[in-house]
Amino acid sequence: MTQKILCVAEKPAIAKSVANHLGGGNVVVRHIAGNQYVKNYEFDFAFGPPWGHCPVVMTSVIGHLYGIDFPQEYRNWRSCRPAQLFDVPVTETIDEDKKAIAENIAKQARYSRVLFIWTDCDREGEFIGSEVRQAALKGNARLEVKRAQFSNTERAHVIRAAQNPIFLDERQVNAVGGRIEVDLRLGAIFTRFQTLTLQLMGGDLEDRIVSYGSCQFPTLGFVVDRYFRVQKFVPERFWTIKVVEHRDEIDVTFSWRRHRLFDRMAVVILFERCLTARTARVSKLQKKPTSKWRPLPLTTVELQKLGSMFLRMDSQRVMKVAEDLYTKGWISYPRTETDSFDKGIDLRKLVEKQVQDHTWGPHAQGLLNGAFKQPRAGRNNDQAHPPIHPVNYVSPPTLSDDERRVYEFVVRRFLACCSDDAKGELTTIELDYGDEVFFTTGLLVLERNYLDVYPYEKWESSQQLPTFVLGETFEPTQANITDGETTAPGYLTEPELISLMDANGIGTDATMAEHIAKIKERQYVQTQTRAGGRGGGNTTNRAGRGGRGGRGGRGGNAAGGAGGGGGGGGNGVQQFIPTTLGVALIEGYDGMGLDTSLGKPFLRKEMEIKMREICAGTKSRNDFVHETLEQYRDVFVRSQQQVDVLKAVKNIYSGNKPDSPPPRGALQFSNSDKKQPSARLFRLGHLAIALSPI
């Protein structure tokens, strides 16, 4: 029998797409026994040397093929002490529904000379590729193994990947393999520990699994930290001076250069000096060009953040839809850290495909007619995938509603990247009034450029400023002292949470959405729609001290924000509020006095750094696993010693359901906490719980 090449993709849809491209439409489809989703596609293809033209069988897995678990005698939660799981050997497992897939690969490998792996080109895909290799070598130990490097399923790209295979990256395989083992052990150890500890106390937690994950808890910790910042916030009164000049039927408001002071008497003294001076002098009059930069090419983290802000979807849904669009061949691979396009990519050809659209097509045509600009280059490059971009045009009405919104966003972002910056003229006027300086700005947008196709950002002209002359003096129409209070930060939104996870190395761009979904699923947090923007230092105007003559005083403002920013379509941004259980878990571990609390990001961030070291070849998988487990072993031992602190969680539930948000002001630190830093005391209603130090 003629030996063939076996190709294996990560998903059935990718296998079908690649087979149709390589087979040129001349493909025979065969079903496999035991799985209704996986199929074998048979065709011929001309590979590069040394294989040349030969028969091909294309099939797939459905994600991970194998798993790991503890031996059967350790799987019962009460079969051993949780600490024993640090050292128990793990065994390889395969789910019943994956056995037919593994057997199909082994069977096809028997008659093949080469295995081509077509899994996604990221860490996880590399590890799944190693699982495919393992299954194939069981059928043919002499099989040559290659992998296709691709970032989208556009036909020319797929053919190029097939003719230029590379080797599997064993370092990435080892990094993921080590992480899987560590996550299994830590998840089982701490989940059993805290669940069994709390279940023994009965009540609300008697039948509840209180799970732990090394990414879950730091993610929850960010939410709880913001929650306490909001709850503990104490408004602070401030005062500022506002000057208004009515000219050419326009009220121009000048802001104080000092912004605000928290000492009323100091503001009154400075204000009196202004009034004593009577007149203000124009000390600076400047007009200069200004720009609002077009966005950088799209990364996974940005897609999740902006999708949550503008598309009314949570990050997990955004990624699921993006993966579907990638699988169907409409966009590039949606898991990438790269924010700059390789100069070898023909971006104009990609722009040309969008010309036919009735909505953004005219803008695309304008780019081809001479307005095209090479996109800005960011600082990140994962050396695996280009930024997310459209690879083919699809008529939006043929997509589902979610698919249409994500596809439109990806297209508009790409076209915006290929457009020029928005151009404007910024006018700045400064006044010397007494010993104080006041200013106003006005923006005139001259060329919208990328903003014409990218409605997610706003940059608008302000009301036109009237004429002022450098050096002129005038008596302001109105001068007032106004006061206000600083305002609490808002609860954490999903874009903010993703930014914190990204900055602290919690998960990867590909897994952040999953970790956020997990803390919601475990009912450690709840979400609600943010009603309105909350920021620090909003001013509440009150009756002020009037300017000389009281020449009117309408409160108009000609000053527009020249910096631009903001965004359209921001309605429905979700904010996270921890449940009573979520707050209690984080406060419990924080209260143990550990050098590194499980609710903080430091341990997990160190894990991510070590995995990158494996990928760079400077650390072995065994060293990574050993070092990480020893760190967590120390945390676990000290957690056992402080188990009474965790048991205090049970008392917090008095009168509250575990999955309900804590009542406003319910959890408060006692003033004695400031006097005795070695002991922590927090309250739920009238119940005080001491968290003893080590």
Side-chain angles (χ1 to χ4, degrees), residues 304-326:
Q304 293 176 84
K305 288 163 56 178
L306 299 178
S308 176
M309 290 173 65
F310 301 133
L311 306 183
R312 302 185 300 280
M313 302 182 206
D314 63 38
S315 56
Q316 188 178 41
R317 179 60 184 161
V318 170
M319 290 308 300
K320 174 62 172 67
V321 173
E323 287 174 1
D324 289 344
L325 291 170
Y326 157 70

mmCIF file of all heavy atoms in Angstrom, residues 304-326:
data_model
loop_
_atom_site.group_PDB
_atom_site.id
_atom_site.type_symbol
_atom_site.label_atom_id
_atom_site.label_comp_id
_atom_site.label_asym_id
_atom_site.label_seq_id
_atom_site.Cartn_x
_atom_site.Cartn_y
_atom_site.Cartn_z
ATOM 1 N N GLN A 304 -10.617 41.376 24.106
ATOM 2 C CA GLN A 304 -11.464 41.037 25.247
ATOM 3 C C GLN A 304 -11.920 42.292 25.997
ATOM 4 O O GLN A 304 -13.086 42.422 26.371
ATOM 5 C CB GLN A 304 -10.698 40.108 26.195
ATOM 6 C CG GLN A 304 -10.424 38.736 25.599
ATOM 7 C CD GLN A 304 -9.589 37.873 26.525
ATOM 8 O OE1 GLN A 304 -10.114 37.238 27.428
ATOM 9 N NE2 GLN A 304 -8.289 37.847 26.308
ATOM 10 N N LYS A 305 -10.984 43.224 26.228
ATOM 11 C CA LYS A 305 -11.330 44.445 26.949
ATOM 12 C C LYS A 305 -12.326 45.291 26.171
ATOM 13 O O LYS A 305 -13.360 45.718 26.711
ATOM 14 C CB LYS A 305 -10.059 45.259 27.214
ATOM 15 C CG LYS A 305 -9.155 44.667 28.257
ATOM 16 C CD LYS A 305 -7.756 45.252 28.211
ATOM 17 C CE LYS A 305 -7.737 46.740 28.344
ATOM 18 N NZ LYS A 305 -6.338 47.264 28.349
ATOM 19 N N LEU A 306 -12.041 45.532 24.896
ATOM 20 C CA LEU A 306 -12.905 46.410 24.105
ATOM 21 C C LEU A 306 -14.218 45.726 23.751
ATOM 22 O O LEU A 306 -15.251 46.381 23.621
ATOM 23 C CB LEU A 306 -12.163 46.869 22.854
ATOM 24 C CG LEU A 306 -10.886 47.676 23.130
ATOM 25 C CD1 LEU A 306 -10.191 48.062 21.831
ATOM 26 C CD2 LEU A 306 -11.197 48.911 23.947
ATOM 27 N N GLY A 307 -14.174 44.409 23.577
ATOM 28 C CA GLY A 307 -15.417 43.676 23.332
ATOM 29 C C GLY A 307 -16.366 43.804 24.506
ATOM 30 O O GLY A 307 -17.572 43.979 24.342
ATOM 31 N N SER A 308 -15.812 43.734 25.720
ATOM 32 C CA SER A 308 -16.636 43.896 26.914
ATOM 33 C C SER A 308 -17.192 45.315 27.005
ATOM 34 O O SER A 308 -18.337 45.517 27.414
ATOM 35 C CB SER A 308 -15.793 43.578 28.156
ATOM 36 O OG SER A 308 -16.524 43.803 29.334
ATOM 37 N N MET A 309 -16.387 46.309 26.590
ATOM 38 C CA MET A 309 -16.817 47.702 26.690
ATOM 39 C C MET A 309 -17.854 48.078 25.640
ATOM 40 O O MET A 309 -18.837 48.755 25.927
ATOM 41 C CB MET A 309 -15.602 48.622 26.542
ATOM 42 C CG MET A 309 -14.639 48.603 27.709
ATOM 43 S SD MET A 309 -13.137 49.558 27.379
ATOM 44 C CE MET A 309 -13.836 51.208 27.240
ATOM 45 N N PHE A 310 -17.625 47.648 24.402
ATOM 46 C CA PHE A 310 -18.402 48.191 23.286
ATOM 47 C C PHE A 310 -19.390 47.216 22.651
ATOM 48 O O PHE A 310 -20.320 47.649 21.981
ATOM 49 C CB PHE A 310 -17.457 48.684 22.193
ATOM 50 C CG PHE A 310 -16.496 49.743 22.652
ATOM 51 C CD1 PHE A 310 -15.151 49.662 22.352
ATOM 52 C CD2 PHE A 310 -16.936 50.820 23.395
ATOM 53 C CE1 PHE A 310 -14.255 50.634 22.778
ATOM 54 C CE2 PHE A 310 -16.061 51.802 23.828
ATOM 55 C CZ PHE A 310 -14.717 51.708 23.516
ATOM 56 N N LEU A 311 -19.193 45.907 22.826
ATOM 57 C CA LEU A 311 -20.022 44.934 22.112
ATOM 58 C C LEU A 311 -21.064 44.273 23.001
ATOM 59 O O LEU A 311 -21.781 43.382 22.539
ATOM 60 C CB LEU A 311 -19.123 43.860 21.470
ATOM 61 C CG LEU A 311 -18.011 44.385 20.566
ATOM 62 C CD1 LEU A 311 -17.255 43.217 19.941
ATOM 63 C CD2 LEU A 311 -18.573 45.293 19.469
ATOM 64 N N ARG A 312 -21.110 44.668 24.280
ATOM 65 C CA ARG A 312 -22.096 44.131 25.225
ATOM 66 C C ARG A 312 -21.986 42.610 25.361
ATOM 67 O O ARG A 312 -22.980 41.899 25.401
ATOM 68 C CB ARG A 312 -23.520 44.542 24.810
ATOM 69 C CG ARG A 312 -23.709 46.036 24.713
ATOM 70 C CD ARG A 312 -25.150 46.418 24.419
ATOM 71 N NE ARG A 312 -25.630 45.857 23.169
ATOM 72 C CZ ARG A 312 -25.362 46.354 21.976
ATOM 73 N NH1 ARG A 312 -24.600 47.424 21.864
ATOM 74 N NH2 ARG A 312 -25.846 45.803 20.886
ATOM 75 N N MET A 313 -20.763 42.109 25.398
ATOM 76 C CA MET A 313 -20.502 40.684 25.624
ATOM 77 C C MET A 313 -19.432 40.554 26.702
ATOM 78 O O MET A 313 -18.571 41.422 26.817
ATOM 79 C CB MET A 313 -19.966 40.003 24.363
ATOM 80 C CG MET A 313 -20.825 40.076 23.137
ATOM 81 S SD MET A 313 -20.009 39.139 21.808
ATOM 82 C CE MET A 313 -20.676 39.979 20.380
ATOM 83 N N ASP A 314 -19.478 39.471 27.464
ATOM 84 C CA ASP A 314 -18.362 39.255 28.374
ATOM 85 C C ASP A 314 -17.188 38.684 27.588
ATOM 86 O O ASP A 314 -17.322 38.258 26.433
ATOM 87 C CB ASP A 314 -18.755 38.363 29.554
ATOM 88 C CG ASP A 314 -19.169 36.955 29.151
ATOM 89 O OD1 ASP A 314 -18.562 36.394 28.221
ATOM 90 O OD2 ASP A 314 -20.089 36.404 29.781
ATOM 91 N N SER A 315 -16.015 38.692 28.205
ATOM 92 C CA SER A 315 -14.796 38.332 27.488
ATOM 93 C C SER A 315 -14.821 36.889 26.989
ATOM 94 O O SER A 315 -14.298 36.589 25.911
ATOM 95 C CB SER A 315 -13.573 38.547 28.384
ATOM 96 O OG SER A 315 -13.695 37.824 29.596
ATOM 97 N N GLN A 316 -15.429 36.005 27.754
ATOM 98 C CA GLN A 316 -15.482 34.604 27.328
ATOM 99 C C GLN A 316 -16.320 34.461 26.057
ATOM 100 O O GLN A 316 -15.947 33.726 25.135
ATOM 101 C CB GLN A 316 -16.047 33.728 28.444
ATOM 102 C CG GLN A 316 -15.958 32.237 28.139
ATOM 103 C CD GLN A 316 -16.469 31.389 29.276
ATOM 104 O OE1 GLN A 316 -17.489 31.716 29.896
ATOM 105 N NE2 GLN A 316 -15.780 30.303 29.577
ATOM 106 N N ARG A 317 -17.419 35.179 25.996
ATOM 107 C CA ARG A 317 -18.268 35.126 24.806
ATOM 108 C C ARG A 317 -17.559 35.741 23.598
ATOM 109 O O ARG A 317 -17.630 35.216 22.483
ATOM 110 C CB ARG A 317 -19.590 35.858 25.080
ATOM 111 C CG ARG A 317 -20.548 35.896 23.891
ATOM 112 C CD ARG A 317 -20.943 34.505 23.447
ATOM 113 N NE ARG A 317 -21.794 34.512 22.261
ATOM 114 C CZ ARG A 317 -21.984 33.460 21.473
ATOM 115 N NH1 ARG A 317 -21.391 32.301 21.737
ATOM 116 N NH2 ARG A 317 -22.768 33.559 20.416
ATOM 117 N N VAL A 318 -16.860 36.841 23.831
ATOM 118 C CA VAL A 318 -16.116 37.477 22.742
ATOM 119 C C VAL A 318 -15.119 36.491 22.138
ATOM 120 O O VAL A 318 -15.004 36.363 20.917
ATOM 121 C CB VAL A 318 -15.382 38.735 23.245
ATOM 122 C CG1 VAL A 318 -14.410 39.258 22.185
ATOM 123 C CG2 VAL A 318 -16.384 39.831 23.596
ATOM 124 N N MET A 319 -14.382 35.774 23.004
ATOM 125 C CA MET A 319 -13.373 34.840 22.503
ATOM 126 C C MET A 319 -14.003 33.654 21.792
ATOM 127 O O MET A 319 -13.475 33.173 20.789
ATOM 128 C CB MET A 319 -12.494 34.356 23.655
ATOM 129 C CG MET A 319 -11.561 35.427 24.210
ATOM 130 S SD MET A 319 -10.574 36.238 22.921
ATOM 131 C CE MET A 319 -9.681 34.848 22.245
ATOM 132 N N LYS A 320 -15.135 33.185 22.295
ATOM 133 C CA LYS A 320 -15.814 32.054 21.637
ATOM 134 C C LYS A 320 -16.249 32.454 20.231
ATOM 135 O O LYS A 320 -16.058 31.699 19.257
ATOM 136 C CB LYS A 320 -17.029 31.634 22.462
ATOM 137 C CG LYS A 320 -17.908 30.562 21.819
ATOM 138 C CD LYS A 320 -17.138 29.259 21.620
ATOM 139 C CE LYS A 320 -18.058 28.129 21.175
ATOM 140 N NZ LYS A 320 -18.621 28.355 19.822
ATOM 141 N N VAL A 321 -16.819 33.653 20.090
ATOM 142 C CA VAL A 321 -17.268 34.123 18.785
ATOM 143 C C VAL A 321 -16.070 34.334 17.861
ATOM 144 O O VAL A 321 -16.109 33.969 16.678
ATOM 145 C CB VAL A 321 -18.079 35.423 18.932
ATOM 146 C CG1 VAL A 321 -18.408 36.012 17.569
ATOM 147 C CG2 VAL A 321 -19.368 35.159 19.710
ATOM 148 N N ALA A 322 -14.991 34.907 18.389
ATOM 149 C CA ALA A 322 -13.805 35.145 17.567
ATOM 150 C C ALA A 322 -13.216 33.829 17.072
ATOM 151 O O ALA A 322 -12.774 33.730 15.916
ATOM 152 C CB ALA A 322 -12.766 35.930 18.372
ATOM 153 N N GLU A 323 -13.213 32.811 17.916
ATOM 154 C CA GLU A 323 -12.701 31.506 17.499
ATOM 155 C C GLU A 323 -13.580 30.901 16.403
ATOM 156 O O GLU A 323 -13.083 30.268 15.468
ATOM 157 C CB GLU A 323 -12.610 30.574 18.698
ATOM 158 C CG GLU A 323 -11.461 30.933 19.635
ATOM 159 C CD GLU A 323 -11.475 30.099 20.904
ATOM 160 O OE1 GLU A 323 -12.367 29.234 21.037
ATOM 161 O OE2 GLU A 323 -10.601 30.310 21.757
ATOM 162 N N ASP A 324 -14.889 31.095 16.515
ATOM 163 C CA ASP A 324 -15.786 30.604 15.467
ATOM 164 C C ASP A 324 -15.512 31.315 14.139
ATOM 165 O O ASP A 324 -15.495 30.677 13.073
ATOM 166 C CB ASP A 324 -17.246 30.821 15.872
ATOM 167 C CG ASP A 324 -17.681 29.893 17.012
ATOM 168 O OD1 ASP A 324 -16.964 28.903 17.267
ATOM 169 O OD2 ASP A 324 -18.716 30.173 17.633
ATOM 170 N N LEU A 325 -15.288 32.617 14.191
ATOM 171 C CA LEU A 325 -14.983 33.369 12.967
ATOM 172 C C LEU A 325 -13.653 32.922 12.373
ATOM 173 O O LEU A 325 -13.500 32.852 11.149
ATOM 174 C CB LEU A 325 -14.942 34.872 13.277
ATOM 175 C CG LEU A 325 -16.277 35.532 13.638
ATOM 176 C CD1 LEU A 325 -16.048 36.952 14.155
ATOM 177 C CD2 LEU A 325 -17.219 35.560 12.424
ATOM 178 N N TYR A 326 -12.695 32.611 13.226
ATOM 179 C CA TYR A 326 -11.402 32.099 12.754
ATOM 180 C C TYR A 326 -11.567 30.731 12.101
ATOM 181 O O TYR A 326 -11.040 30.465 11.007
ATOM 182 C CB TYR A 326 -10.436 32.030 13.937
ATOM 183 C CG TYR A 326 -9.306 31.052 13.773
ATOM 184 C CD1 TYR A 326 -8.275 31.280 12.849
ATOM 185 C CD2 TYR A 326 -9.241 29.887 14.548
ATOM 186 C CE1 TYR A 326 -7.231 30.375 12.707
ATOM 187 C CE2 TYR A 326 -8.209 28.982 14.413
ATOM 188 C CZ TYR A 326 -7.206 29.225 13.494
ATOM 189 O OH TYR A 326 -6.179 28.317 13.339
#
